[in-house]
Each structure stands twice: as structure tokens, then as C-alpha cells.
Amino acid sequence: MDFWTRMASPGPATVVVNGVTLGVGSRVRLRPRARGDVLDLVLDGRIAIVEGIEQDDTGEFLLAVTLEDDPGRDLGEARMPGHRFFYRTDEVEPVERARATGRALVAGIGNVFLGDDGFGVEVARRLAALGPIPGVDVVDFGIRGMDLVFALQQGYRGALFIDAARRGEAPGTLTVLEPELPDGDGVPVATHGMDPVRVLLLARELGPLPERVLVLCCEPAVVPTGAPGEELVTELSEPVRGAVDAAVDLARTLALDLAGDRPDGQEDGGDRQDGGDHRMDGRGKE
């Protein structure tokens, strides 16, 4: 393997430090060895979250981290300088987590100017307004596909996409899917577009995906094409609007399940390992 091919390949998923396996999402205490500048002095002893593992051309491992208490940590997760730092494995100390549960991402996706396509955004907005959910991050991604790609690299145990999708059901019908990804790579994703499968395929090229990904979708009634001259629609149709409350409740339940530690083999109503689905009408009834 030549130098450029090696540098372009994803880094390892885990690395062992002081007998502890670290991966994306692990907590570490920073211990800069050089102490050559003010930044080393300021960050010494701070708790950070591992966002990625890289390996240079000499084989040395480098941990990309963001500070746990950084109010701009999302900028670090988006790989912005000033909020993302690199340390050698001998410059960090593993820190045990306070609890064994994982983290889950709830991603509201869709275009609010295309009628019912804004369903996922509205559900994410309503869910976030209810207050923090333990172990769950609720984010309105809209049509920012690349932002969602990078977010999937942040060590989430599970992810829930919320979207509008035509499946031949009555408008307002909710469906829970567990997508199966095709083999292959080189799948492009638009910077200002959102196709959940393409997002997952590109995220898989960059690193490991969450252990489990679900899609909560709603059958739309009105979705303009966005063609030039077509009138924009910024409101949900009546049947889709009527499904939002049930979707919020279902999304919260699914997110907690994705984040929690269940005993091996224990099943729940949303588990569909065969790529099947679970349908409900807009009133939350099967």
C-alpha cells in the first residue's frame, strides 16, 4: 500500500491505552507531555471525548478529541479548528464512564419548504422542546447531509432518523424501518440534500456506524418537487400534522431503547433485524 492510499484509509476503530480499550466516545484526561505552550498548560488535566483515532506514516496513534465541557463542542465534532485537538496515546489517561449506557442520536431530516417533507424537522423540534433525554442527542439536521455524516462518527450506540417517505400507505401512517445497506462504496452525498441511505453509506466509508440505525418515517400527503416556479409549502398537511404527537412519543421510546443497555437477546417491539417494518396510523394505533 502506497503512502497516499494509507493516509486516505480510515484509522483504527480502537486503541489500547494503559490496558483500557479506547474508541470514539471514550472519556480521557489530557496530560500533554511537551508543555511547550500556553495551550498545553490550560488543557492539562481537562476531560475530553475521543472523536476519532488516526495513525501517521510512522505508525504512531493520535487521538482526535474535543473537551467535554466545551460549549462549542459541536464545532469540534464538525472538525473545526480551535475545538478539536490531537494527542498521542501517552498523553491521555482513560477515565471510566459514570454509567454503562450508551448514547443515541435522533436526527430530524427534511426540507421545511416542501410541505410534508418537513415532518422530521417538526418532530425533532417538538421532541427537543420537551427537555433533555438521558443519553440522547436530538438534532434538527434539515437537509445538511454532510453534517449528519460527521455526526454518525461521534460514537453513538444507536441512531434514529425521522423523515417523510412514500411507502404506499395512507397519509399520516408511521413506519419504523431498520434499513439494510447494500455493499459497495464511492457513494456521493449532496452537501445540501438528504438521502438517509446515501448518508449511511458515506458514513460507513469514513468509519464505524452506530450499532443500530432505525428510521421513523411518515407517509406524506403533500410534497412539492421544488421545481422552479413552483409555490413553496411551509406547513404540514392535516394528516401528517396529526401524526406528529404520536411520532414524538414513539421517537422518545425508540431513542431511549437505542441508548440503553439491554441484556443480550432481549427483544423489543421496534427490533426488526430482517429489515422489516412496524406500521402505525396517525393516531398511534397499529
Side-chain angles (χ1 to χ4, degrees):
M1 182 183 300
D2 62 34
F3 173 81
W4 294 112
T5 301
R6 189 166 67 252
M7 290 298 97
S9 61
T14 61
V15 64
V16 177
V17 177
N18 297 337
V20 178
T21 300
L22 299 180
V24 174
S26 296
R27 299 173 73 236
V28 296
R29 188 178 302 278
L30 303 179
R31 294 299 188 191
R33 301 299 182 190
R35 298 177 182 272
D37 56 30
V38 173
L39 189 60
D40 284 342
L41 296 175
V42 170
L43 298 184
D44 186 33
R46 301 281 292 277
I47 300 297
I49 307 297
V50 176
E51 304 293 348
I53 303 174
E54 307 293 341
Q55 191 170 15
D56 65 19
D57 61 330
T58 68
E60 183 173 35
F61 293 108
L62 297 172
L63 302 181
V65 303
T66 56
L67 297 180
E68 185 177 57
D69 59 356
D70 181 0
R73 186 181 160 205
D74 59 326
L75 298 176
E77 293 175 348
R79 308 191 178 198
M80 298 294 289
H83 297 270
R84 181 178 169 94
F85 309 95
F86 289 86
Y87 287 93
R88 301 191 309 269
T89 55
D90 63 348
E91 295 183 299
V92 302
E93 298 172 354
V95 176
E96 293 294 333
R97 286 192 176 275
R99 59 183 181 178
T101 55
R103 295 165 61 218
L105 172 68
V106 175
I109 60 182
N111 191 328
V112 297
F113 296 108
L114 295 181
D116 289 341
D117 195 54
F119 167 78
V121 172
E122 178 63 13
V123 173
R125 184 187 68 80
R126 296 253 197 112
L127 185 60
L130 296 178
I133 304 174
V136 177
D137 293 333
V138 181
V139 182
D140 164 18
F141 284 96
I143 57 173
R144 296 175 288 114
M146 285 305 301
D147 287 353
L148 179 52
V149 167
F150 288 131
L152 291 171
Q153 305 299 309
Q154 306 310 316
Y156 288 106
R157 178 176 182 173
L160 174 66
F161 293 178
I162 308 177
D163 194 14
R166 294 192 183 280
R167 292 181 49 79
E169 305 288 345
T173 301
L174 301 178
T175 307
V176 180
L177 307 173
E178 189 156 8
E180 294 182 351
L181 298 182
D183 296 330
D185 51 20
V187 179
V189 60
T191 304
H192 296 290
M194 185 68 77
D195 180 326
V197 173
R198 288 178 179 269
V199 165
L200 289 170
L201 288 172
L202 181 55
R204 185 176 66 182
E205 290 187 23
L206 298 179
L209 291 173
E211 295 175 14
R212 197 161 171 232
V213 178
L214 300 177
V215 181
L216 169 57
C217 54
C218 181
E219 184 76 26
V222 179
V223 179
T225 63
E230 187 176 28
E231 184 177 353
L232 298 179
V233 179
T234 59
E235 296 182 353
L236 301 178
S237 66
E238 182 176 350
V240 171
R241 186 168 59 251
V244 170
D245 286 343
V248 169
D249 292 340
L250 182 55
R252 190 178 193 279
T253 299
L254 292 172
L256 286 170
D257 179 68
L258 289 169
D261 281 335
R262 291 180 298 144
D264 291 341
Q266 180 176 333
E267 295 184 357
D268 65 275
D271 195 358
R272 294 292 185 274
Q273 297 296 338
D274 59 357
D277 60 42
H278 179 67
R279 286 183 293 276
M280 302 169 64
D281 67 16
R283 297 179 299 280
K285 298 181 179 181
E286 295 189 65

Tab-separated table of all heavy atoms in Angstrom, residues 87-137:
chain	number	residue	atom	x	y	z
A	87	TYR	N	-3.806	14.311	20.365
A	87	TYR	CA	-2.842	13.912	21.385
A	87	TYR	C	-2.372	12.484	21.134
A	87	TYR	O	-3.158	11.635	20.676
A	87	TYR	CB	-3.455	14.015	22.786
A	87	TYR	CG	-3.618	15.439	23.253
A	87	TYR	CD1	-4.805	16.122	23.040
A	87	TYR	CD2	-2.565	16.107	23.873
A	87	TYR	CE1	-4.952	17.437	23.435
A	87	TYR	CE2	-2.705	17.426	24.283
A	87	TYR	CZ	-3.892	18.079	24.063
A	87	TYR	OH	-4.040	19.386	24.451
A	88	ARG	N	-1.102	12.218	21.466
A	88	ARG	CA	-0.586	10.861	21.397
A	88	ARG	C	-1.209	10.024	22.509
A	88	ARG	O	-1.722	10.554	23.494
A	88	ARG	CB	0.937	10.850	21.526
A	88	ARG	CG	1.667	11.653	20.447
A	88	ARG	CD	3.173	11.360	20.514
A	88	ARG	NE	3.682	11.523	21.876
A	88	ARG	CZ	4.164	12.662	22.356
A	88	ARG	NH1	4.174	13.759	21.604
A	88	ARG	NH2	4.617	12.733	23.603
A	89	THR	N	-1.126	8.720	22.370
A	89	THR	CA	-1.729	7.844	23.377
A	89	THR	C	-1.034	7.962	24.732
A	89	THR	O	-1.648	7.652	25.764
A	89	THR	CB	-1.681	6.385	22.910
A	89	THR	OG1	-0.324	6.020	22.586
A	89	THR	CG2	-2.557	6.190	21.673
A	90	ASP	N	0.251	8.402	24.751
A	90	ASP	CA	0.933	8.569	26.040
A	90	ASP	C	0.635	9.922	26.675
A	90	ASP	O	1.193	10.256	27.721
A	90	ASP	CB	2.445	8.385	25.881
A	90	ASP	CG	3.078	9.439	24.980
A	90	ASP	OD1	2.332	10.180	24.299
A	90	ASP	OD2	4.326	9.515	24.940
A	91	GLU	N	-0.286	10.696	26.053
A	91	GLU	CA	-0.655	11.996	26.591
A	91	GLU	C	-2.088	12.017	27.116
A	91	GLU	O	-2.641	13.075	27.389
A	91	GLU	CB	-0.503	13.083	25.522
A	91	GLU	CG	0.942	13.292	25.072
A	91	GLU	CD	1.062	14.415	24.066
A	91	GLU	OE1	0.446	14.305	22.980
A	91	GLU	OE2	1.740	15.406	24.365
A	92	VAL	N	-2.690	10.830	27.259
A	92	VAL	CA	-4.051	10.752	27.786
A	92	VAL	C	-4.136	9.648	28.829
A	92	VAL	O	-3.367	8.682	28.801
A	92	VAL	CB	-5.100	10.482	26.674
A	92	VAL	CG1	-5.055	11.572	25.608
A	92	VAL	CG2	-4.892	9.108	26.049
A	93	GLU	N	-5.063	9.799	29.759
A	93	GLU	CA	-5.352	8.786	30.761
A	93	GLU	C	-6.830	8.395	30.612
A	93	GLU	O	-7.700	9.267	30.634
A	93	GLU	CB	-5.122	9.328	32.175
A	93	GLU	CG	-3.686	9.757	32.447
A	93	GLU	CD	-3.556	10.466	33.787
A	93	GLU	OE1	-4.617	10.716	34.436
A	93	GLU	OE2	-2.428	10.776	34.186
A	94	PRO	N	-7.126	7.111	30.438
A	94	PRO	CA	-8.529	6.687	30.324
A	94	PRO	C	-9.314	7.052	31.586
A	94	PRO	O	-8.796	6.980	32.702
A	94	PRO	CB	-8.432	5.168	30.157
A	94	PRO	CG	-7.047	4.927	29.634
A	94	PRO	CD	-6.185	5.985	30.272
A	95	VAL	N	-10.569	7.470	31.394
A	95	VAL	CA	-11.459	7.810	32.507
A	95	VAL	C	-12.696	6.940	32.387
A	95	VAL	O	-13.323	6.884	31.323
A	95	VAL	CB	-11.856	9.305	32.479
A	95	VAL	CG1	-12.861	9.617	33.580
A	95	VAL	CG2	-10.619	10.178	32.605
A	96	GLU	N	-13.031	6.281	33.475
A	96	GLU	CA	-14.212	5.414	33.448
A	96	GLU	C	-15.468	6.256	33.310
A	96	GLU	O	-15.572	7.347	33.876
A	96	GLU	CB	-14.296	4.587	34.735
A	96	GLU	CG	-13.182	3.568	34.881
A	96	GLU	CD	-13.246	2.470	33.840
A	96	GLU	OE1	-14.366	2.191	33.367
A	96	GLU	OE2	-12.186	1.916	33.499
A	97	ARG	N	-16.437	5.734	32.592
A	97	ARG	CA	-17.721	6.411	32.477
A	97	ARG	C	-18.511	6.273	33.775
A	97	ARG	O	-18.390	5.291	34.497
A	97	ARG	CB	-18.543	5.828	31.328
A	97	ARG	CG	-18.022	6.256	29.963
A	97	ARG	CD	-19.037	5.904	28.895
A	97	ARG	NE	-18.573	6.395	27.596
A	97	ARG	CZ	-18.775	7.611	27.165
A	97	ARG	NH1	-19.421	8.479	27.928
A	97	ARG	NH2	-18.345	7.993	25.982
A	98	ALA	N	-19.323	7.270	34.053
A	98	ALA	CA	-20.135	7.233	35.261
A	98	ALA	C	-21.244	6.195	35.165
A	98	ALA	O	-21.752	5.728	36.160
A	98	ALA	CB	-20.742	8.615	35.525
A	99	ARG	N	-21.620	5.819	33.950
A	99	ARG	CA	-22.658	4.821	33.776
A	99	ARG	C	-22.368	4.019	32.522
A	99	ARG	O	-21.574	4.424	31.670
A	99	ARG	CB	-24.040	5.482	33.647
A	99	ARG	CG	-24.130	6.452	32.491
A	99	ARG	CD	-25.482	7.127	32.456
A	99	ARG	NE	-25.575	8.049	31.335
A	99	ARG	CZ	-26.661	8.731	31.050
A	99	ARG	NH1	-27.723	8.603	31.789
A	99	ARG	NH2	-26.687	9.549	30.022
A	100	ALA	N	-23.021	2.874	32.396
A	100	ALA	CA	-22.705	1.954	31.308
A	100	ALA	C	-23.554	2.178	30.071
A	100	ALA	O	-23.326	1.556	29.059
A	100	ALA	CB	-22.882	0.505	31.790
A	101	THR	N	-24.552	3.042	30.148
A	101	THR	CA	-25.415	3.249	28.996
A	101	THR	C	-24.669	3.956	27.883
A	101	THR	O	-23.679	4.634	28.090
A	101	THR	CB	-26.649	4.081	29.378
A	101	THR	OG1	-26.218	5.303	29.978
A	101	THR	CG2	-27.525	3.317	30.345
A	102	GLY	N	-25.153	3.788	26.651
A	102	GLY	CA	-24.515	4.420	25.513
A	102	GLY	C	-25.173	5.755	25.198
A	102	GLY	O	-25.843	6.352	26.038
A	103	ARG	N	-24.999	6.188	23.973
A	103	ARG	CA	-25.599	7.435	23.522
A	103	ARG	C	-26.358	7.147	22.241
A	103	ARG	O	-25.981	6.273	21.463
A	103	ARG	CB	-24.522	8.497	23.252
A	103	ARG	CG	-23.752	8.939	24.469
A	103	ARG	CD	-22.505	9.694	24.054
A	103	ARG	NE	-22.803	10.893	23.284
A	103	ARG	CZ	-22.071	11.311	22.250
A	103	ARG	NH1	-21.031	10.614	21.842
A	103	ARG	NH2	-22.384	12.419	21.612
A	104	ALA	N	-27.415	7.884	22.034
A	104	ALA	CA	-28.192	7.738	20.808
A	104	ALA	C	-28.384	9.111	20.179
A	104	ALA	O	-28.475	10.124	20.867
A	104	ALA	CB	-29.545	7.093	21.088
A	105	LEU	N	-28.456	9.112	18.861
A	105	LEU	CA	-28.698	10.335	18.102
A	105	LEU	C	-30.070	10.253	17.463
A	105	LEU	O	-30.401	9.265	16.796
A	105	LEU	CB	-27.636	10.496	17.008
A	105	LEU	CG	-27.867	11.645	16.009
A	105	LEU	CD1	-27.725	12.994	16.706
A	105	LEU	CD2	-26.895	11.544	14.836
A	106	VAL	N	-30.881	11.278	17.684
A	106	VAL	CA	-32.151	11.426	16.977
A	106	VAL	C	-31.966	12.524	15.947
A	106	VAL	O	-31.668	13.671	16.304
A	106	VAL	CB	-33.303	11.780	17.936
A	106	VAL	CG1	-34.583	12.053	17.145
A	106	VAL	CG2	-33.527	10.657	18.937
A	107	ALA	N	-32.108	12.191	14.679
A	107	ALA	CA	-31.844	13.125	13.592
A	107	ALA	C	-33.132	13.459	12.853
A	107	ALA	O	-33.706	12.601	12.168
A	107	ALA	CB	-30.822	12.534	12.619
A	108	GLY	N	-33.596	14.691	13.014
A	108	GLY	CA	-34.737	15.155	12.245
A	108	GLY	C	-34.260	15.649	10.893
A	108	GLY	O	-33.394	16.517	10.817
A	109	ILE	N	-34.778	15.082	9.813
A	109	ILE	CA	-34.297	15.446	8.483
A	109	ILE	C	-35.476	15.794	7.575
A	109	ILE	O	-36.596	15.322	7.754
A	109	ILE	CB	-33.444	14.320	7.849
A	109	ILE	CG1	-34.246	13.030	7.713
A	109	ILE	CG2	-32.210	14.061	8.695
A	109	ILE	CD1	-33.440	11.887	7.132
A	110	GLY	N	-35.201	16.672	6.616
A	110	GLY	CA	-36.229	17.070	5.670
A	110	GLY	C	-36.149	18.554	5.344
A	110	GLY	O	-35.404	19.314	5.964
A	111	ASN	N	-36.930	18.956	4.354
A	111	ASN	CA	-36.944	20.332	3.872
A	111	ASN	C	-38.261	21.001	4.288
A	111	ASN	O	-39.341	20.603	3.831
A	111	ASN	CB	-36.806	20.355	2.348
A	111	ASN	CG	-36.552	21.740	1.805
A	111	ASN	OD1	-37.015	22.736	2.347
A	111	ASN	ND2	-35.810	21.822	0.705
A	112	VAL	N	-38.176	21.994	5.157
A	112	VAL	CA	-39.383	22.639	5.695
A	112	VAL	C	-40.120	23.465	4.649
A	112	VAL	O	-41.239	23.911	4.891
A	112	VAL	CB	-39.037	23.533	6.903
A	112	VAL	CG1	-38.479	22.702	8.038
A	112	VAL	CG2	-38.062	24.640	6.508
A	113	PHE	N	-39.526	23.677	3.476
A	113	PHE	CA	-40.181	24.442	2.418
A	113	PHE	C	-40.885	23.539	1.415
A	113	PHE	O	-41.398	24.015	0.400
A	113	PHE	CB	-39.168	25.329	1.689
A	113	PHE	CG	-38.564	26.378	2.578
A	113	PHE	CD1	-37.253	26.280	2.996
A	113	PHE	CD2	-39.311	27.462	3.015
A	113	PHE	CE1	-36.688	27.238	3.821
A	113	PHE	CE2	-38.761	28.419	3.841
A	113	PHE	CZ	-37.451	28.314	4.246
A	114	LEU	N	-40.899	22.229	1.684
A	114	LEU	CA	-41.533	21.286	0.770
A	114	LEU	C	-42.639	20.501	1.474
A	114	LEU	O	-42.698	19.278	1.425
A	114	LEU	CB	-40.488	20.324	0.180
A	114	LEU	CG	-39.418	20.948	-0.710
A	114	LEU	CD1	-38.463	19.892	-1.235
A	114	LEU	CD2	-40.065	21.716	-1.872
A	115	GLY	N	-43.516	21.253	2.145
A	115	GLY	CA	-44.702	20.647	2.743
A	115	GLY	C	-44.382	19.550	3.741
A	115	GLY	O	-43.643	19.756	4.711
A	116	ASP	N	-44.919	18.348	3.489
A	116	ASP	CA	-44.773	17.246	4.439
A	116	ASP	C	-43.344	16.727	4.546
A	116	ASP	O	-43.038	15.944	5.455
A	116	ASP	CB	-45.703	16.098	4.055
A	116	ASP	CG	-47.167	16.430	4.299
A	116	ASP	OD1	-47.434	17.372	5.070
A	116	ASP	OD2	-48.044	15.769	3.698
A	117	ASP	N	-42.470	17.153	3.660
A	117	ASP	CA	-41.071	16.757	3.774
A	117	ASP	C	-40.440	17.324	5.045
A	117	ASP	O	-39.400	16.850	5.492
A	117	ASP	CB	-40.275	17.230	2.551
A	117	ASP	CG	-38.922	16.553	2.443
A	117	ASP	OD1	-38.879	15.304	2.454
A	117	ASP	OD2	-37.896	17.266	2.388
A	118	GLY	N	-41.073	18.322	5.641
A	118	GLY	CA	-40.576	18.891	6.882
A	118	GLY	C	-41.019	18.146	8.128
A	118	GLY	O	-40.776	18.603	9.255
A	119	PHE	N	-41.628	16.981	7.952
A	119	PHE	CA	-42.122	16.196	9.093
A	119	PHE	C	-41.018	15.894	10.102
A	119	PHE	O	-41.185	16.102	11.312
A	119	PHE	CB	-42.731	14.887	8.575
A	119	PHE	CG	-42.990	13.863	9.641
A	119	PHE	CD1	-44.097	13.965	10.469
A	119	PHE	CD2	-42.117	12.787	9.813
A	119	PHE	CE1	-44.337	13.016	11.453
A	119	PHE	CE2	-42.348	11.836	10.798
A	119	PHE	CZ	-43.462	11.950	11.622
A	120	GLY	N	-39.869	15.404	9.656
A	120	GLY	CA	-38.794	15.033	10.570
A	120	GLY	C	-38.273	16.207	11.369
A	120	GLY	O	-37.955	16.079	12.564
A	121	VAL	N	-38.199	17.353	10.724
A	121	VAL	CA	-37.738	18.565	11.403
A	121	VAL	C	-38.710	18.961	12.510
A	121	VAL	O	-38.309	19.324	13.620
A	121	VAL	CB	-37.567	19.706	10.384
A	121	VAL	CG1	-37.283	21.030	11.088
A	121	VAL	CG2	-36.453	19.380	9.402
A	122	GLU	N	-40.005	18.894	12.218
A	122	GLU	CA	-41.015	19.268	13.213
A	122	GLU	C	-41.012	18.316	14.403
A	122	GLU	O	-41.116	18.744	15.555
A	122	GLU	CB	-42.406	19.289	12.565
A	122	GLU	CG	-43.547	19.618	13.510
A	122	GLU	CD	-43.470	21.011	14.118
A	122	GLU	OE1	-42.663	21.843	13.625
A	122	GLU	OE2	-44.213	21.274	15.086
A	123	VAL	N	-40.876	17.026	14.152
A	123	VAL	CA	-40.850	16.053	15.247
A	123	VAL	C	-39.618	16.283	16.121
A	123	VAL	O	-39.705	16.264	17.358
A	123	VAL	CB	-40.866	14.614	14.708
A	123	VAL	CG1	-40.658	13.608	15.843
A	123	VAL	CG2	-42.189	14.329	14.006
A	124	ALA	N	-38.454	16.522	15.500
A	124	ALA	CA	-37.232	16.778	16.271
A	124	ALA	C	-37.382	18.050	17.105
A	124	ALA	O	-36.954	18.107	18.263
A	124	ALA	CB	-36.037	16.889	15.333
A	125	ARG	N	-38.005	19.073	16.533
A	125	ARG	CA	-38.197	20.329	17.256
A	125	ARG	C	-39.096	20.112	18.477
A	125	ARG	O	-38.797	20.584	19.576
A	125	ARG	CB	-38.815	21.370	16.326
A	125	ARG	CG	-38.959	22.750	16.949
A	125	ARG	CD	-39.737	23.694	16.051
A	125	ARG	NE	-41.130	23.301	15.941
A	125	ARG	CZ	-42.051	23.567	16.873
A	125	ARG	NH1	-41.713	24.200	17.982
A	125	ARG	NH2	-43.310	23.184	16.701
A	126	ARG	N	-40.187	19.382	18.284
A	126	ARG	CA	-41.114	19.125	19.396
A	126	ARG	C	-40.454	18.246	20.461
A	126	ARG	O	-40.642	18.466	21.659
A	126	ARG	CB	-42.366	18.426	18.871
A	126	ARG	CG	-43.182	19.269	17.903
A	126	ARG	CD	-44.457	19.775	18.532
A	126	ARG	NE	-45.368	20.204	17.482
A	126	ARG	CZ	-46.502	19.577	17.188
A	126	ARG	NH1	-46.861	18.512	17.873
A	126	ARG	NH2	-47.278	20.027	16.221
A	127	LEU	N	-39.687	17.258	20.027
A	127	LEU	CA	-39.039	16.358	20.979
A	127	LEU	C	-38.006	17.110	21.807
A	127	LEU	O	-37.930	16.940	23.031
A	127	LEU	CB	-38.377	15.200	20.220
A	127	LEU	CG	-37.739	14.101	21.069
A	127	LEU	CD1	-38.785	13.438	21.963
A	127	LEU	CD2	-37.066	13.062	20.170
A	128	ALA	N	-37.211	17.966	21.162
A	128	ALA	CA	-36.201	18.743	21.880
A	128	ALA	C	-36.850	19.702	22.871
A	128	ALA	O	-36.296	19.965	23.950
A	128	ALA	CB	-35.336	19.512	20.884
A	129	ALA	N	-38.041	20.220	22.535
A	129	ALA	CA	-38.720	21.176	23.414
A	129	ALA	C	-39.204	20.535	24.709
A	129	ALA	O	-39.481	21.234	25.690
A	129	ALA	CB	-39.898	21.808	22.670
A	130	LEU	N	-39.308	19.213	24.750
A	130	LEU	CA	-39.750	18.528	25.958
A	130	LEU	C	-38.673	18.487	27.035
A	130	LEU	O	-38.953	18.161	28.184
A	130	LEU	CB	-40.183	17.092	25.617
A	130	LEU	CG	-41.396	16.955	24.695
A	130	LEU	CD1	-41.671	15.486	24.413
A	130	LEU	CD2	-42.624	17.619	25.308
A	131	GLY	N	-37.432	18.805	26.654
A	131	GLY	CA	-36.340	18.794	27.618
A	131	GLY	C	-35.364	17.665	27.330
A	131	GLY	O	-35.619	16.790	26.496
A	132	PRO	N	-34.209	17.667	28.024
A	132	PRO	CA	-33.167	16.668	27.782
A	132	PRO	C	-33.664	15.243	28.022
A	132	PRO	O	-34.460	14.986	28.921
A	132	PRO	CB	-32.072	17.045	28.791
A	132	PRO	CG	-32.327	18.484	29.131
A	132	PRO	CD	-33.819	18.644	29.061
A	133	ILE	N	-33.177	14.318	27.199
A	133	ILE	CA	-33.453	12.896	27.352
A	133	ILE	C	-32.132	12.226	27.711
A	133	ILE	O	-31.138	12.399	27.005
A	133	ILE	CB	-34.009	12.286	26.045
A	133	ILE	CG1	-35.249	13.053	25.588
A	133	ILE	CG2	-34.329	10.810	26.240
A	133	ILE	CD1	-35.775	12.604	24.242
A	134	PRO	N	-32.062	11.486	28.804
A	134	PRO	CA	-30.793	10.883	29.230
A	134	PRO	C	-30.133	10.051	28.126
A	134	PRO	O	-30.754	9.150	27.564
A	134	PRO	CB	-31.206	9.989	30.413
A	134	PRO	CG	-32.466	10.604	30.921
A	134	PRO	CD	-33.174	11.148	29.716
A	135	GLY	N	-28.892	10.397	27.804
A	135	GLY	CA	-28.138	9.633	26.820
A	135	GLY	C	-28.535	9.864	25.384
A	135	GLY	O	-28.092	9.141	24.485
A	136	VAL	N	-29.382	10.863	25.128
A	136	VAL	CA	-29.897	11.082	23.770
A	136	VAL	C	-29.634	12.517	23.322
A	136	VAL	O	-29.900	13.462	24.070
A	136	VAL	CB	-31.419	10.792	23.706
A	136	VAL	CG1	-31.962	11.094	22.307
A	136	VAL	CG2	-31.702	9.346	24.087
A	137	ASP	N	-29.115	12.669	22.109
A	137	ASP	CA	-28.956	13.978	21.479
A	137	ASP	C	-30.009	14.111	20.382
A	137	ASP	O	-30.087	13.246	19.496
A	137	ASP	CB	-27.559	14.127	20.865
A	137	ASP	CG	-26.462	14.150	21.917
A	137	ASP	OD1	-26.747	14.550	23.054
A	137	ASP	OD2	-25.319	13.766	21.591
